[in-house]
Amino acid sequence: MEKKLDFGSVLSQGFLVGMKNLPSLLGAIVLWLLTIWIPYVNVGTTIAIMTIPIKFSKGEIFSPLCIFEKQYYRYMGEFFLTCGWYTAGVLLAMIFLVVPGIVLGIIWSQALYLVLDKGVNPAKALSLSNKMTYGNKWIIFAVMFVVYLAFLVASLLLTWIPFIGVIIAFCLMVIYMAMILGCSGMIYGKLLENLTEEDLR
C-alpha cells in the first residue's frame, strides 16, 4: 500500500527537525557563503547543502564542517545533469501557462535526493520521483505554500518595525530555510518508503 503524506505531520515534524538543527544549519550556510567564490570547492559545498534534507529524513544531526567532506564530489556529474534536466523541463513546461511548470517541479522534486542519497542515475531518478510523488503533489504544494506564505506575511509585517525589524526578518529567514529543509526531509523520507529495492537498482 502506498504511503500518503499527512499535511499536519509533515509541517510539525519538519518544524521540529529544522529547529533542532538550526545552529548547524546556520553554520553550514555561513561556511557555504564564505566558500562560494572558490572554484571547485563551491561545487562540493553546494552539493553538501543540497543533501541536508536527506540527513533530516534519516534523523541525523550534522556538523557544519561536513560540507567540506570529499564524498560530495562523487556525484558531481550526476548533480549537474539532474539539475540541468530538471531546470530545462520545468522552464519548458512553464511555457504552457505556468501551472504545468509548477506541477512538473513537484513531480521531479525528489530526483536530486535519489541521485545523491541512493546513487540512482539522473534519468531514472526523475522517473522514480514521478512515482514517489504520485497522489501526493497537492500535499507537497500545500506544505511549501503555507510555509512560504507565513514567512512572507511575517516579513512584510516586520518591515514596519524600525531598525530591529530587519534583524528579526533575517532571523525569520533562517527559520524559514530550516523549515523548508526540514519539511523537504520529511517528505523525502516518507515518500522513499513507496520505492522498493528493485526500483532503486
Side-chain angles (χ1 to χ4, degrees):
M1 184 177 176
E2 286 190 355
K3 301 284 184 180
K4 296 289 184 183
L5 295 174
D6 177 72
F7 177 81
S9 177
V10 170
L11 268 182
S12 59
Q13 290 178 23
F15 177 78
L16 291 174
V17 169
M19 293 305 101
K20 185 169 70 173
N21 288 278
L22 191 59
S24 295
L25 178 62
L26 185 56
I29 290 169
V30 169
L31 289 173
W32 176 72
L33 289 172
L34 290 173
T35 58
I36 194 67
W37 58 274
I38 304 174
Y40 189 67
V41 172
N42 55 11
V43 176
T45 54
T46 299
I47 293 172
I49 291 291
M50 300 295 273
T51 64
I52 289 174
I54 299 170
K55 294 183 185 301
F56 285 176
S57 73
K58 298 174 181 177
E60 296 177 8
I61 303 291
F62 72 98
S63 162
L65 294 175
C66 77
I67 69 169
F68 298 114
E69 292 176 7
K70 291 182 179 179
Q71 63 175 330
Y72 297 115
Y73 297 95
R74 181 180 176 188
Y75 296 113
M76 189 168 135
E78 290 86 348
F79 170 78
F80 283 112
L81 196 54
T82 308
C83 289
W85 285 352
Y86 177 93
T87 304
V90 170
L91 287 177
L92 184 61
M94 283 283 186
I95 295 171
F96 297 92
L97 300 178
V98 181
V99 174
I102 295 171
V103 174
L104 190 61
I106 294 169
I107 287 172
W108 285 351
S109 62
Q110 309 305 303
L112 191 58
Y113 302 144
L114 290 170
V115 170
L116 300 175
D117 182 34
K118 300 298 181 181
V120 178
N121 75 66
K124 187 173 183 179
L126 293 168
S127 176
L128 288 177
S129 180
N130 182 38
K131 180 179 179 180
M132 289 169 72
T133 56
Y134 184 78
N136 290 287
K137 289 186 282 293
W138 276 111
I139 297 294
I140 296 170
F141 175 79
V143 167
M144 296 305 173
F145 180 75
V146 165
V147 174
Y148 173 73
L149 189 63
F151 165 73
L152 186 64
V153 170
S155 296
L156 289 173
L157 291 174
L158 288 169
T159 56
W160 293 95
I161 304 173
F163 307 113
I164 197 169
V166 177
I167 298 169
I168 298 172
F170 173 76
C171 295
L172 191 64
M173 185 164 57
V174 174
I175 293 170
Y176 166 72
M177 289 178 67
M179 273 205 72
I180 286 290
L181 293 172
C183 290
S184 296
M186 295 306 100
I187 290 167
Y188 174 69
K190 190 71 174 175
L191 295 183
L192 192 60
E193 296 175 20
N194 288 334
L195 300 182
T196 63
E197 288 298 321
E198 189 176 340
D199 287 329
L200 295 170
R201 283 180 197 156

